[in-house]
Amino acid sequence: MKNITKQFYVDFYNKTNGFIPGSPLQQHLFPGDFFQIQKGEIVVLGNIFRKNIVDVDEVVIEYGIKQNAYNWNFSNGVTKSYTGRDTGQNPIEGNFGYARQVLSFKEYGSYFFTSNDPTSVKIANWNQIASELIIKLTQVIYSFREVYVVTESAATNDWTLVIASSEKGELEIASETESNGLIELFGRANSKTIQARDIEVYLREEKKRPCFFRAKKLVVQPEKLEVFINNLITERTGMLDWVTNFYNYDFYYEPSPNTNVTPINPQACVLDMLQANQLNPNTALQYFKWADANLDDIELFYVNYGF
């Protein structure tokens, strides 16, 4: 059922120019947090500033960076099947008018997201501490082979997200006030949901909490990957002769047609195959670099772990 949020995550990354919601949703992530993705969720392991991994006096943090508000309001597979004014009756005050809107959802995973006044806080001089972090996170203080570091956190004054669980999803919203011109009620503090059908996710955040982030991830230098893969191909080329000469048995050997020469995770293989002490503080920068967290990392939220 967790896949219900996948389209929202992908669209969020594309619409907001690389920001990613926390996993689980509403998770708070601050600049300098370092984490891993385990069983589809972000597990924060610490913060480079709180643990004094880098000298905080050397770091420049920029606050209150305005984001394009238009890009932080979007939907997928949602139509406004009704928008207008209705009247109701109160036994004390008599008749009263109110605005009403009905949102209809096209399919499983269709969603509507709205927010107000998105701003961010970021590490402005990341490049000045990037190399130091590689050495300390992989060799000196920790021995990470996979880790992410949050470089920018975004928050809004408030945000609302609703996701449907089927093509019959529907949300009816009402408010006693309306804006000039076209009515837009979803996500407003003074609006109320009066009916919901086949809605799986309905979240509203009313505090300025950092629920969205950009991050750098530790990756193996491409030159090291290329050398490893070439060596692997060469090694497999001589496998038939070795099998024939080593085993005193009439094995029949040929490469399996389904065998991929490139390992599923070549990055891990490169590091696992290193000889003792080949990776050390003096060589760490030859093996590692930082890359932007992207859609490939969002995919890790949705790996089937068998539960």
Side-chain angles (χ1 to χ4, degrees), residues 36-56:
Q36 292 179 331
I37 299 175
Q38 299 179 7
K39 294 183 178 179
E41 294 190 351
I42 291 173
V43 179
V44 177
L45 304 172
N47 186 287
I48 61 173
F49 306 130
R50 186 177 183 186
K51 291 183 174 290
N52 296 313
I53 295 174
V54 294
D55 185 350
V56 294

Side-chain angles (χ1 to χ4, degrees), residues 8 69 73 86 97 103 109 114 142-143 148 155 170 182 251 271 278 281:
F8 167 68
N73 290 271
D86 285 348
L103 302 179
T114 185
Y142 299 103
S143 56
Y148 298 77
E170 191 173 84
L182 182 64
F251 280 122
L271 302 175
Q278 190 172 348

Side-chain angles (χ1 to χ4, degrees), residues 213-230:
F213 70 94
R214 287 185 176 127
K216 297 288 187 179
K217 60 180 175 180
L218 198 65
V219 298
V220 172
Q221 291 279 9
E223 296 82 4
K224 297 296 183 181
L225 282 175
E226 184 177 354
V227 170
F228 170 76
I229 292 171
N230 287 338

Side-chain angles (χ1 to χ4, degrees), residues 35-304:
F35 66 86
Q36 292 179 331
I37 299 175
Q38 299 179 7
K39 294 183 178 179
E41 294 190 351
I42 291 173
V43 179
V44 177
L45 304 172
N47 186 287
I48 61 173
F49 306 130
R50 186 177 183 186
K51 291 183 174 290
N52 296 313
I53 295 174
V54 294
D55 185 350
V56 294
D57 293 332
E58 297 179 356
V59 178
V60 178
I61 297 180
E62 188 176 352
Y63 296 91
I65 304 168
K66 290 283 188 181
Q67 303 298 315
N68 187 332
Y70 176 81
N71 295 339
W72 286 67
N73 290 271
F74 51 89
S75 63
N76 190 315
V78 180
T79 58
K80 298 169 187 175
S81 54
Y82 176 83
T83 296
R85 297 284 298 177
D86 285 348
T87 58
Q89 188 173 41
N90 186 298
I92 298 176
E93 300 176 354
N95 293 336
F96 65 92
Y98 64 96
R100 187 167 73 91
Q101 190 171 70
V102 178
L103 302 179
S104 299
F105 296 79
K106 180 181 178 182
E107 59 190 357
Y108 172 92
S110 294
Y111 67 85
F112 203 121
F113 174 80
T114 185
S115 68
N116 288 296
D117 192 24
T119 58
S120 68
V121 176
K122 76 173 182 179
I123 302 173
N125 62 335
W126 167 261
N127 290 337
Q128 293 182 28
I129 64 173
S131 296
E132 177 186 357
L133 274 176
I134 287 176
I135 295 170
K136 289 184 175 180
L137 290 177
T138 65
Q139 297 298 309
V140 177
I141 301 177
Y142 299 103
S143 56
F144 287 119
R145 298 296 179 262
E146 295 182 2
V147 73
Y148 298 77
V149 178
V150 176
T151 57
E152 188 170 5
S153 298
T156 64
N157 285 348
D158 60 79
W159 59 265
T160 308
L161 170 67
V162 61
I163 308 178
S165 60
S166 81
E167 72 282 359
K168 297 179 181 179
E170 191 173 84
L171 194 68
E172 186 175 350
I173 311 162
S175 174
E176 294 184 10
T177 61
E178 70 172 84
S179 61
N180 294 327
L182 182 64
I183 299 174
E184 184 58 82
L185 302 181
F186 179 73
R188 287 191 174 190
N190 60 359
S191 65
K192 296 181 180 180
T193 298
I194 57 178
Q195 184 176 348
R197 181 174 67 178
D198 288 1
I199 299 298
E200 180 68 21
V201 176
Y202 196 141
L203 296 175
R204 179 164 176 81
E205 177 60 71
E206 297 180 334
K207 304 293 183 181
K208 202 166 189 175
R209 296 189 172 102
C211 298
F212 316 102
F213 70 94
R214 287 185 176 127
K216 297 288 187 179
K217 60 180 175 180
L218 198 65
V219 298
V220 172
Q221 291 279 9
E223 296 82 4
K224 297 296 183 181
L225 282 175
E226 184 177 354
V227 170
F228 170 76
I229 292 171
N230 287 338
N231 289 341
L232 188 63
I233 293 172
T234 301
E235 177 115 351
R236 291 190 178 183
T237 301
M239 188 68 180
L240 175 58
D241 291 338
W242 181 84
V243 168
T244 303
N245 294 327
F246 184 81
Y247 295 105
N248 187 23
Y249 195 76
D250 57 343
F251 280 122
Y252 175 77
Y253 174 82
E254 68 178 1
S256 170
N258 297 322
T259 298
N260 190 344
V261 173
T262 304
I264 294 175
N265 188 350
Q267 173 168 318
C269 292
V270 169
L271 302 175
D272 290 343
M273 294 291 287
L274 291 178
Q275 297 180 9
N277 203 36
Q278 190 172 348
L279 178 60
N280 56 62
N282 295 322
T283 64
L285 297 181
Q286 298 175 23
Y287 285 93
F288 292 107
K289 72 172 188 174
W290 295 107
D292 292 331
N294 54 37
L295 292 174
D296 292 337
D297 304 288
I298 289 176
E299 286 291 333
L300 298 178
F301 297 157
Y302 301 97
V303 174
N304 185 0

